[in-house]
Amino acid sequence: MQIVERPSPNHNARPGGRAPDMLVLHYTGMRTAAEALDRLCDPAAQVSAHYTVDEGGTVYAHVAEDRRAWHAGVACWQGETDVNGLSIGIEIVNPGHEFGYRSFPEAQMQAVLALSQAVVERYRIRPLRVVGHSDVAPERKTDPGELFDWPLLAAAGVGYWPDARTVQARLEAEPEADRQSIGRNLERIGYRWPAEPGDAGAAKPRGRTAVLAAFQRRFRPVSVTGTADSETAALAAVVAAAA
Ligand SMILES: [Zn+2]
């Protein structure tokens, strides 16, 4: 893995000097890699990440892992709101939904995998603490998005991916019970389950609709609807059982 030093001034101390125990994956959401790297290192932008991986698989190191990088913004996971304070953040170059979302090339995925694997082993990060930005900020964010290859990472011990047969069996077993408890299961996984229902037809999903869409983007990327269908409910029950 080729690592290029590209320091960013945008970081501060981790609270209480504690070691990171989460990994947050992002896409850059800008037209070019150069533009994204400039922004992540610009003191005026007030954003950063520990690493950026470009489409050719080159890794840029911006912030030392023992420092708090500024990538998650207002966020919540498993009841903790200072996600930057607890996590390592990796940016993955991709124009994103705004500028032409496209699949992540093989070389890039292999570099993301190697880097993530090293981070997860170094800090013993548990599978459900490897998340996408959209998981921790569902109303604001859609990255790294439904084209990201989470199963590839999970097969190498990075993050969690549910077994399809287990989900199918669950779907046949208790669909109504799982629909009733979907909010509780999503909370057990780590999502903040909002009081307001949201609207699946809205351009910008909010409330529960946004959380359901984030969960689907992460665990059922072929169909991101924001609605609590039976398959989504069964998936939530299976993933929650791993928490
Ligand atoms: Zn992000």
Side-chain angles (χ1 to χ4, degrees), residues 25-27 71 91 133 141 143:
L25 302 184
H26 302 258
Y27 64 47
H71 51 96
E91 288 281 355
H133 197 186
K141 296 291 174 179
D143 61 312

Side-chain angles (χ1 to χ4, degrees), residues 224-243:
V224 181
T225 59
T227 55
D229 56 74
S230 304
E231 188 185 49
T232 302
L235 256 173
V238 170
V239 179

Side-chain angles (χ1 to χ4, degrees), residues 112-196:
V112 169
L113 174 60
L115 179 61
S116 301
Q117 210 170 17
V119 166
V120 160
E121 283 173 12
R122 193 146 50 240
Y123 302 106
R124 301 187 200 310
I125 298 176
R126 285 183 287 126
L128 286 177
R129 290 180 74 82
V130 177
V131 297
H133 197 186
S134 53
D135 295 312
V136 301
E139 291 191 343
R140 299 188 301 116
K141 296 291 174 179
T142 53
D143 61 312
E146 62 280 4
L147 296 178
F148 187 74
D149 196 349
W150 291 104
L152 177 83
L153 267 60
V158 177
Y160 179 76
W161 188 258
D163 172 65
R165 269 170 307 181
T166 308
V167 175
Q168 191 55 39
R170 181 88 198 188
L171 184 53
E172 285 158 18
E174 27 195 343
E176 203 37 54
D178 285 344
R179 279 165 64 105
Q180 294 301 320
S181 53
I182 190 166
R184 205 163 57 239
N185 283 330
L186 291 172
E187 280 191 322
R188 232 172 110 196
I189 295 164
Y191 296 90
R192 193 186 68 83
W193 186 240
E196 64 291 12

